[in-house]
Structures are given as C-alpha cells and as structure tokens.
Amino acid sequence: MRGLTVLPSGRPGRGRLFVNLPDGRAVAWYDRRANRVSLLEEARREAVLAALRPYLSGEPAVGPPPVPTPAERLRLALPPDRDLAPNRPGEPLLGELGYGSPGTRARHRLRRELEARELMGAELDALEAMDWRVLHAVPLPGGGLIDHLLIGPAGVFCVVTVAGGRRRVRVGDLLVTVGRADPRPDVRHVRGAAAHAALALRTPVTPVVAVVDASAVEAAATLRDVLVLQPHTAAPYFTTATPTLKPPDPDTLFSLARDTTTWLP
C-alpha cells in the first residue's frame, strides 16, 4: 500500500519502528530487540512488511501485538516529559556547549567530557542486544547526575565516566587523579549515586568508574566495592558476569528507573 511511513521511537538505532498511515495513525510496529512485527490490521500485512524490509534483521515473527506485561503497561502510561529513555549520553553537556558561554579552555574540557560519555554510552548501548537496558544522564536530587545506569541479568550498575585525555589515571579509594591535575571526588560521587539508586529502585546497585582514553589506568588494591572498567573491558565483563536477576526483573527495574519521579519525587 502506498503512503506508509516508517518512524523511529527513542534514540536513533534503538526502540521501536512504527509504520504509520498518511494521517499519522500507526498500523504496526517493529521491535528490534525481539525481531517481531506487531500488526494492528492483518489486512495490511504485506504492505507493512514491504515498508519495513530495509530495517528488518532476518525473518521476523509477525502477528498481533502481544499482551503487555505490567512493566510495559507502566511504560505506556508514562508521559514523555517524565521519560528518561530518550536521553543521550552527556545530555546536559550538549546544552552547555550549545547555549553556554564558557571560555575556550572550559569549552575544550566540556567537549572532552562529552566525547568520553558518548564513547562509553555507545559501548553500553551495544549491550542491549544481550538483554541489557541502559539509561543516560539520570538526574539526582541537588543537581547531581548518574552518567549511565545499566540494568541487566547481572544486576544494576551506576557508572561515572572519567575522561583520561591520553594521560595516566589513578583511581583511589576516594579520589581519581588524571595526569597531574588535582584529584577529583569521582569515587565518592559514584558511591553516593549508587546508594541513592539502590534506595530508589529497592535493589542492590554496584558503583562503576569507567575510564575513557587513558594512557594507563591504576586502581588501588584496597578498592573493592567499586568496579574500574574501560570501554574495551566493559562488554566482556558484563556479558560474562553471573546473573543475579530473574528474566522479568530487568524490564521491571528499567520501567521504574526511566521515570523521573523515581529520582526527583
């Protein structure tokens, strides 16, 4: 049928693809993760599949929409202005770079921080193909922020990103030192953010320091409660970690975590 359009939801490359009529009414959607096409009108099956053909991964399952789970019903009822799922890595930094007026040195630092969060965010987003869920730029009371929140079979992880700038990075029990710069309280920050997330989600949350683009990374031998990872070590760690959550739990926790009122009641 002529006139069908395919539109994405959420961040590019993620979420569902909706097939709409010229008047904007959806007649089907394609779930990338499940590789499933849900048809609202069986008579449009061939037209829908033709419109989706460039986007399909292999031969999808096709049929009526599945009965929504409690987590999906909660997500569908979530107003867009409360939904954190579309957030991009480093979302607040994009605003500062676009509308702020810092000096040249400050803008260079912001760009470096943004590049680090984008690179680490892309590595974590790639885990969604393995049943993980990711949120970026999760707000905390008092103006704090969780750079990335990762939810999956092995549990919930609160990630702070450190831009190494091709310098040696030392991660201690309380502070992080990048090159010869003054120490930063990233370890204390991620511990506090993980503790807040554990209370908000009512589940254990592991703090993670993710070091990006460092010439070398040193972690204190006494640092046992905080993970220290790099982009190339993140996927191997998370995909081989021992599962601690039952299959429905990650989606339930993700539905709770994506609601801003969970963090800023």
Side-chain angles (χ1 to χ4, degrees), residues 136-224:
H136 304 290
V138 177
L140 295 175
L145 198 73
I146 297 174
D147 289 346
H148 318 282
L149 189 73
L150 183 66
I151 303 172
V156 182
F157 298 83
C158 176
V159 184
V160 64
T161 304
V162 175
R166 300 181 182 178
R167 292 170 290 177
R168 181 182 297 273
V169 176
R170 294 179 291 276
V171 184
D173 289 321
L174 297 174
L175 304 172
V176 173
T177 305
V178 180
R180 298 181 180 179
D182 293 336
R184 303 165 19 165
D186 295 272
V187 179
R188 287 186 297 183
H189 166 71
V190 76
R191 279 198 185 104
H196 183 87
L199 289 174
L201 301 177
R202 299 183 291 278
T203 191
V205 178
T206 302
V208 181
V209 173
V211 182
V212 179
D213 192 30
S215 61
V217 179
E218 298 175 0
T222 52
L223 186 65
R224 297 187 177 92

Side-chain angles (χ1 to χ4, degrees), residues 31 46 57 72 80 93-94 102 158 187 211 216 255 262:
D31 189 326
E46 296 304 321
S57 175
E72 288 172 329
L93 298 182
L94 290 167
C158 176
V187 179
V211 182
S255 293
T262 298

Side-chain angles (χ1 to χ4, degrees), residues 61-179:
V62 183
V67 177
T69 64
E72 288 172 329
R73 288 197 293 269
L74 179 62
R75 176 183 58 79
L76 293 170
L78 189 64
D81 60 345
R82 283 171 44 191
D83 191 358
L84 297 173
N87 280 6
R88 296 162 292 178
E91 186 91 18
L93 298 182
L94 290 167
E96 290 186 53
L97 282 169
Y99 302 103
S101 56
T104 303
R105 181 177 297 179
R107 291 188 71 83
H108 176 71
R109 178 185 59 80
L110 287 176
R111 289 194 189 96
R112 190 171 62 223
E113 293 284 345
L114 176 60
E115 289 170 0
R117 295 185 195 184
E118 288 177 336
L119 196 155
M120 194 64 205
E123 293 291 328
L124 298 179
D125 283 342
L127 294 173
E128 292 195 329
M130 290 162 276
D131 295 327
W132 289 82
R133 312 288 181 263
V134 188
L135 290 171
H136 304 290
V138 177
L140 295 175
L145 198 73
I146 297 174
D147 289 346
H148 318 282
L149 189 73
L150 183 66
I151 303 172
V156 182
F157 298 83
C158 176
V159 184
V160 64
T161 304
V162 175
R166 300 181 182 178
R167 292 170 290 177
R168 181 182 297 273
V169 176
R170 294 179 291 276
V171 184
D173 289 321
L174 297 174
L175 304 172
V176 173
T177 305
V178 180

